Amino acid sequence: VHLRMNAIRSSLQRQLFQDADERLSAIVSLVKIDGKKKKRPSYLCLTLSSEHPISVRIYLVKEDKEDSYRKKEKFQLREVRAVDGLNPRKPMPDFSMTLSDRTFRLTASSCEEKDSFIRQLYKMANKFIPFAMPDFMNVPIPVDEPTIILPVANVEEEQINAIEEYQPISPKEESDFRRLLAVTELKLDQADLFVKALSNQLQSLDGANIESMISSETAINQLLDVIDGAIGKVTELDLEMNKCDTILCVVRDSVELIEEKDSLSVVERKNKEKLEKEARQLVAHLDVLSNKHLQVLSEANISDPASISRVVEAARAVSQFVAETPKTLRQMKAYQDQNSKLSVLDLFVDRLMSHLTALFNNLAEMTDSQDWGHLAIPKQSQRHRALSPLADLMGWLKATRENVYRAAIDRYIDATRRLYQRLFDRFFDAICNEVTKTVTGASDRRSSGGTGEGMSSLSSLIETVLGELNPVITNEQKFCLRFFHINSENAIGSDTISMDSGDSGSIGARGVDKQVNEQVRLMMGPLFDSSLSMNLDRFTKACCKSNRSNILLLFVIMSKKVLSSTESGSYYAVTFGSLVVLIKRQFDNYMDAEAQNLREIKFTKRTRVGILPTIDKLAQMIKLSEDRFKGSERRADLEKWYVNLVKATCEGIEKAATSPHTKSPATVVRFENYHQLYQTLSEQKISCLDHYRKESKIICEDAMQLYVREHMGRPLEKIHLFFESVSRAKERIRAEEIAYQQQFSKMELKKVISQYPGKEVRKGLEQLYKKLEKHLVDNSSLLQVVWRNMQEAFIKQLQSYQQIMAECYPNSKIELEVSIDDVLSFFSDIAQSH
């Protein structure tokens, strides 16, 4: 480390200070400056100038790159204000320096470097600016360095220190030295003579100094007298200052005592103010609950609506007295005396609960015994009005007696649930009877050619159910929210609902959320869920009992009601939303059963298939569904089932085509039924079925072409077989060599052709037409289409025969017995004759 620092020291001296005639006296390597770690090394350098007067400077040097340095900042020694080693008891590389008005927090690379630099800085300051010494704090350096005569034993150490402090001379020092040699006219090798000459000059200078000192002795003595007088005056001034200090101590103690007394008086005054305020509050609070309030509670007549307001006021006074009394004052006798009178409150709560229970049950029995219409549910406005005066007491129970409040809700639910169970049972009994009559009457009208009057009646019954249940559920929710003070953000419009209103209008929809508040669910669910769900399910099953397709009408009507409703904050919407889910499930089951019927094709014996009845059934299903779902927002659900129904119909066609019990060719079954399916889908014009409509047409055409290919060889069967063999032979041998094969000779060709004169060809075509009529259904529109396709295929076949004959039998002059014109005439005559 010492070798490295010596090398750095030499580099710095050579690069930065030698040209400026400065000598590097001390150096310390810095790791951090002001807490920031430096990527490249920095150094703090202490230098002395060579010229007189000697100037001591401190430089902050930064290494730019390897072996290259630059001066970053420069300070004079007189700018050093303080040096702090930070901790004298523990070796540490950190220290701080205050230069002018700036303080640097530095970290050396080692403690030894830091101590050596500070020691050298102290020596320089003590030597050159003893009158303005910086403050050296927490550093192991004595303030006064006594002059110590080194013993002989320490000579070696002195020499070592001298060696360590050796510095090379600067160029200016060297030039001065040579000039001095020139004056004495000596050379460098005459050192002894040079030393002797210098000694003579020194002696002469000492003599001159002594003479100067002797001549100024009188002035010195006068100066000493002045100094002695000044010291005496300072002593007298010090005694006067001590007397003043004693007097000031007494004054200080007196002032402190006065301040303490004043502070205690302020505290005392504040405490009195607080005590007075607390006493006034306690008295005012005790006055909140008067004997009159207690008397009202003890003599409360809850049955009288006129006295209920006084009872509520007294109950609130008691609650305010109990809740607002600070805990710190509850030990006071005045509070305990007043509190001992509150036993009347428990008696009042017991009487209130007994009254509420009896009132809930009596009002439920009274409402149940009222007369009501055949298809109507009695409105509960009278029962609600009878209970409304007790709403404030219910709010008081909620705020003060949570358990009692919950018990009151449970008793209300128990009594009201039984009431609605009886009302709903009777209402839905009547509705289900009307449904049965409507369905029976509709069946009679259908058998006598009537129209859809039954559907209109059924729709009217559904509207009746919704119209009766809506005001009952909605008004009950309004009443419960107000009477039981249920805080529901979704209980929209509850602050404007009149408790006296039996109006069946819908709840206003200001900022409605799609979900009903959980508190509303917990309140309304037990009232309606069990009775309403069971009766709605009974109504749904009654509607679909005789005609399952009625589920379509139910699904459309209920979906429209729920989706278009502005009452999403009402439990009515939740109830019927659940009903829509139930109906949707039955709708899916119905559609799935219909798809299964379209898929199942059964034959009891071998029969000609013809047009399957499932296609007509599909058309009726689509027509009925379109009529029911016209303008419905649930059309997407229907279109999903349309796809399933068409797929099921296609599966039925394929099952019929491959059935072993059918007499019709599979191709005929396919093109007849897929053609009928194509026509059905084209008539309906349903966009989601366009793909299946186009696919049906393609399957029909493919099946028709396959049928034509299967039966076209029959009119000229032997010729067809002969040329098929020739075509296969062409794959093995050249065309011009075919005629030389025995089985394909010209003689064989003429023999085959001679078997099919024009008369035989016409006969064969007539048999083909009769077979086609037999395969297709009676009066089929596809008969002429297939016959035209056969004509085109037969002509293409004859043309292919002629082409083979031209290739394999050139110049043979062998031709078919019938021409293409003859064939066209045969097909036309046969079609016209039938």
Side-chain angles (χ1 to χ4, degrees), residues 665-723:
T667 52
V668 174
V669 175
R670 286 192 177 94
F671 74 68
E672 279 192 320
N673 284 280
Y674 277 109
H675 175 72
Q676 188 66 28
L677 179 61
Y678 169 75
Q679 287 186 327
T680 299
L681 298 181
S682 299
E683 291 173 358
Q684 299 300 330
K685 297 180 181 179
I686 299 173
S687 58
C688 68
L689 298 179
D690 281 345
H691 168 73
Y692 297 96
R693 178 179 61 83
K694 296 175 183 178
E695 188 175 358
S696 299
K697 184 177 181 180
I698 294 172
I699 296 174
C700 172
E701 292 174 351
D702 292 344
M704 190 179 295
Q705 293 298 327
L706 180 60
Y707 175 79
V708 170
R709 287 197 301 273
E710 288 177 350
H711 293 81
M712 271 318 301
R714 307 295 170 81
L716 305 175
E717 187 170 3
K718 292 182 180 180
I719 295 178
H720 181 70
L721 295 175
F722 179 82
F723 282 109

Side-chain angles (χ1 to χ4, degrees), residues 314-361:
R316 287 176 177 172
V318 173
S319 301
Q320 183 180 359
F321 173 77
V322 174
E324 296 182 3
T325 303
K327 293 182 179 179
T328 55
L329 302 179
R330 293 183 181 181
Q331 301 299 323
M332 300 187 68
K333 188 176 185 303
Y335 172 79
Q336 293 180 355
D337 290 344
Q338 192 78 315
N339 192 46
S340 63
K341 303 175 183 178
L342 297 182
S343 58
V344 67
L345 185 63
D346 294 331
L347 297 175
F348 167 73
V349 171
D350 292 340
R351 290 171 53 205
L352 176 61
M353 283 300 298
S354 299
H355 177 76
L356 287 174
T357 303
L359 187 60
F360 293 156
N361 292 326

Side-chain angles (χ1 to χ4, degrees), residues 2-185:
H2 287 294
L3 292 175
R4 176 176 173 276
M5 288 304 297
N6 288 335
I8 294 172
R9 185 172 188 154
S10 299
S11 297
L12 290 171
Q13 176 67 40
R14 184 177 60 256
Q15 293 183 25
L16 300 181
F17 305 116
Q18 188 166 330
D19 293 341
D21 292 334
E22 289 181 296
R23 179 165 56 88
L24 186 59
S25 176
I27 181 175
V28 58
S29 176
L30 301 178
V31 178
K32 295 180 181 178
I33 299 176
D34 291 335
K36 297 180 181 179
K37 191 172 183 180
K38 299 295 183 180
K39 296 182 179 179
R40 291 188 173 275
S42 298
Y43 304 95
L44 199 62
C45 300
L46 183 66
T47 65
L48 291 90
S49 64
S50 300
E51 296 181 351
H52 288 278
I54 296 175
S55 177
V56 181
R57 300 184 181 94
I58 298 173
Y59 290 95
L60 181 61
V61 178
K62 183 178 180 181
E63 182 178 346
D64 286 341
K65 54 185 179 179
E66 189 173 357
D67 294 336
S68 177
Y69 309 92
R70 67 180 175 88
K71 298 175 182 176
K72 190 174 181 183
E73 294 190 56
K74 180 179 74 173
F75 303 94
Q76 298 294 333
L77 179 61
R78 63 177 176 274
E79 296 182 56
V80 181
R81 297 288 182 264
V83 179
D84 190 352
L86 300 182
N87 192 344
R89 297 184 181 85
K90 180 181 179 182
M92 59 186 301
D94 296 339
F95 67 103
S96 69
M97 290 183 64
T98 302
L99 300 168
S100 295
D101 56 348
R102 298 172 59 188
T103 300
F104 295 89
R105 182 67 181 266
L106 309 169
T107 302
S109 60
S110 66
C111 297
E112 292 79 5
E113 286 188 29
K114 181 193 80 170
D115 294 340
S116 176
F117 180 83
I118 294 175
R119 190 180 300 113
Q120 190 66 19
L121 180 63
Y122 179 82
K123 290 179 182 179
M124 293 294 180
N126 190 39
K127 182 176 181 180
F128 292 103
I129 51 171
F131 53 87
M133 278 286 290
D135 293 331
F136 286 86
M137 300 172 288
N138 300 319
V139 292
I141 298 174
V143 176
D144 296 322
E145 285 191 326
T147 304
I148 301 175
I149 301 175
L150 296 175
V152 179
N154 293 334
V155 172
E156 184 177 353
E157 182 180 355
E158 183 180 6
Q159 292 176 351
I160 292 173
N161 293 333
I163 292 172
E164 289 181 353
E165 295 182 0
Y166 166 76
Q167 295 291 335
I169 65 175
S170 66
K172 188 175 184 305
E173 291 174 336
E174 184 179 353
S175 64
D176 292 342
F177 177 69
R178 290 185 182 279
R179 188 169 60 254
L180 188 59
L181 284 177
V183 170
T184 57
E185 297 180 353

Side-chain angles (χ1 to χ4, degrees), residues 561-619:
K561 286 292 182 182
V562 172
L563 292 176
S564 63
S565 175
T566 60
E567 303 165 355
S568 55
S570 170
Y571 195 76
Y572 169 77
V574 175
T575 301
F576 288 97
S578 303
L579 178 60
V580 169
V581 173
L582 174 65
I583 294 175
K584 173 63 167 59
R585 189 177 297 116
Q586 295 184 13
F587 166 76
D588 290 337
N589 293 336
Y590 167 72
M591 284 296 189
D592 186 62
E594 292 297 322
Q596 189 63 27
N597 292 335
L598 296 176
R599 191 180 293 110
E600 292 295 331
I601 302 295
K602 296 181 180 180
F603 300 105
T604 57
K605 59 181 180 178
R606 287 182 62 82
T607 182
R608 190 174 66 169
V609 176
I611 304 299
L612 294 174
T614 54
I615 298 178
D616 184 58
K617 186 182 296 184
L618 174 65

